[in-house]
Amino acid sequence: EYFTFSPFHLRTVCACAACVDENTGKKTLNDKDVPLDIKATQFQRVGRYAVAVTFSDGHRTGIYSFERLKKLENDMKDFQKENKPFSL
């Protein structure tokens, strides 16, 4: 089983010190500053616990633990269950 994240989603949930205040834990990245067409340009495994992602906007300090990616996946699945698609 696998789950796909959009580069935009991964970029906006980055928890690095450039995107989240280290003292307060408050998100400092404004999602509106992230291009909708952002791309993940490089993935690098970090030990046995995470992956580092480089994005087309030059951001490269985010490290996503496999545990965090699994939580993001579960959150997305819960969201999809609660928000059934509809059409007009």
Side-chain angles (χ1 to χ4, degrees), residues 7-77:
F8 178 82
H9 181 72
L10 277 182
R11 178 67 180 90
T12 59
V13 297
C14 181
C16 78
C19 298
V20 175
D21 185 286
E22 291 182 90
N23 296 314
T24 65
K26 182 180 177 192
K27 182 175 176 174
T28 57
L29 174 67
N30 184 338
D31 293 353
K32 292 178 182 178
D33 293 336
V34 178
L36 291 173
D37 63 348
I38 195 165
K39 295 180 178 32
T41 59
Q42 183 178 11
F43 295 91
Q44 182 175 349
R45 189 144 183 177
V46 179
R48 293 171 45 188
Y49 68 95
V51 61
V53 182
T54 301
F55 293 93
S56 58
D57 67 351
H59 186 73
R60 58 186 175 91
T61 55
I63 296 176
Y64 301 82
S65 70
F66 298 132
E67 182 178 318
R68 180 142 193 266
L69 290 170
K70 185 65 176 171
K71 182 182 182 326
L72 291 170
E73 172 189 2
N74 290 335
D75 290 348
M76 185 63 72
K77 285 179 179 177

